[in-house]
């Protein structure tokens, strides 16, 4: 107020102003300069305090921020990329569609066979196959020579059925020389266009089924994105 009064009464010469600066702006800058000189500690604590409060509020909302620099950079963000599994989805994939191509094996028998293959798998998609099986886990067969390829698939020997395998196109092609026909390729494309993971199942190097697996969207996923 004192600075403004001095400017208004022209005690402070107008030629002290910066170009296009009026008396109010000059007096405000003068007051802030005095504040910085007289109270540097208070201003120095203001920024880390604001960052601490901001990150604390975000943590209560389930948003973890690494630090002040990240929080500051977030103001410039124009897009957000989510790791959807367990964030926007429940993190528990389930079989959504079952497309069988073998008439020699009944569906219940094939589900048992594939669940037997995946019974010891630690992959979420493998667990989805086991969960799809309606019977007791103790009733499943014990696979032999189980081999899992990260991000590709798994196979094992099961008594009376030979080599049973589940995986993606590349896995069955590279490991077993299986080439998809147009019908199966089209079915996989349809499932993938629906946002599902299309998994091939083969018994003795013959495709017997295509399984569509997807994770359920959380009920509050839309609210999370809007936030």
């Amino acid at each position: 107020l004192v600075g403004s009064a001095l400017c208004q009464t022209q005690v402070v010469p107008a030629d002290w102003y910066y170009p296009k600066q009026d008396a109010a702006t000059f007096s405000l800058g003068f007051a802030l300069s005095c504040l910085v000189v007289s109270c540097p500690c208070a201003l120095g604590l203001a920024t880390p305090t604001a960052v601490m409060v901001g990150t604390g509020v975000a943590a209560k909302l389930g948003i973890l921020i690494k630090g002040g620099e990240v929080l500051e950079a977030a103001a410039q963000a124009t897009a957000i990329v989510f790791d959807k599994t367990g964030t926007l989805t429940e993190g528990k994939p389930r079989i959504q569609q079952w497309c069988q191509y073998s008439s020699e094996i009944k569906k219940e028998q094939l589900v048992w066979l594939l669940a037997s293959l995946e019974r010891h798998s630690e992959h979420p998609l493998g667990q989805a196959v086991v969960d799809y099986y309606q019977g007791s886990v103790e009733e499943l067969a014990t696979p032999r020579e189980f081999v899992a390829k990260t991000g590709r698939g798994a196979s094992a020997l099961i008594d009376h059925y030979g080599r049973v395998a589940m995986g993606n196109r590349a896995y069955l092609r590279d490991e077993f020389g299986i080439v998809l026909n147009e019908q199966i390729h089209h079915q996989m494309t349809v499932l993938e266009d629906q946002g599902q993971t299309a998994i091939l199942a083969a018994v003795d190097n013959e495709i017997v089924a295509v399984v569509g697996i997807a994770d359920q969207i959380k009920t509050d996923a839309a609210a999370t994105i809007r936030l």
Side-chain angles (χ1 to χ4, degrees):
L1 293 177
V2 173
S4 178
L6 293 174
C7 291
Q8 295 295 337
T9 58
Q10 297 184 348
V11 174
V12 176
D15 57 1
W16 283 17
Y17 302 169
Y18 287 107
K20 298 181 180 181
Q21 188 179 45
D22 56 18
T25 306
F26 177 83
S27 59
L28 179 60
F30 188 81
L32 290 175
S33 298
C34 293
L35 181 62
V36 171
V37 172
S38 60
C39 307
C41 294
L43 293 176
L45 290 172
T47 298
T49 300
V51 170
M52 181 179 65
V53 172
T55 53
V57 172
K60 291 181 179 179
L61 297 174
I63 303 172
L64 301 181
I65 301 175
K66 191 173 182 179
E69 292 183 2
V70 176
L71 182 61
E72 182 179 355
Q76 309 299 323
T78 58
I80 299 177
V81 179
F82 287 92
D83 177 7
K84 69 177 181 61
T85 303
T87 304
L88 301 179
T89 63
E90 295 178 355
K92 297 179 179 178
R94 295 181 175 88
I95 291 180
Q96 305 294 324
Q97 293 193 46
W98 183 281
C99 308
Q100 189 160 329
Y101 295 95
S102 173
S103 58
E104 298 180 0
I105 304 176
K106 294 182 178 180
K107 179 181 177 180
E108 295 76 11
Q109 189 177 12
L110 183 56
V111 172
W112 172 85
L113 190 61
L114 299 181
S116 298
L117 166 65
E118 299 287 0
R119 65 178 300 180
H120 298 304
S121 174
E122 298 179 355
H123 197 284
L125 298 184
Q127 189 59 47
V129 176
V130 178
D131 293 341
Y132 191 71
Y133 174 64
Q134 300 296 319
S136 171
V137 176
E138 286 73 18
E139 297 174 352
L140 297 175
T142 300
R144 296 181 291 107
E145 299 182 18
F146 179 83
V147 178
K149 300 286 187 179
T150 304
R152 294 169 63 86
S155 68
L157 290 175
I158 297 180
D159 290 342
H160 310 300
Y161 291 94
R163 176 69 62 177
V164 180
M166 290 194 76
N168 56 29
R169 298 176 180 86
Y171 176 69
L172 295 186
R173 181 192 64 228
D174 297 343
E175 298 293 329
F176 307 103
I178 298 175
V179 179
L180 305 185
N181 60 37
E182 187 62 30
Q183 180 186 10
I184 295 175
H185 178 76
H186 174 73
Q187 183 60 56
M188 293 189 72
T189 302
V190 170
L191 295 177
E192 290 165 346
D193 288 344
Q194 295 174 356
Q196 301 181 39
T197 300
I199 304 296
L200 293 164
V203 177
D204 272 348
N205 293 349
E206 291 187 10
I207 300 295
V208 293
V210 176
V211 180
I213 302 177
D215 204 350
Q216 297 293 318
I217 301 294
K218 285 185 177 179
T219 56
D220 59 352
T224 299
I225 294 175
R226 283 196 297 269
L227 178 64

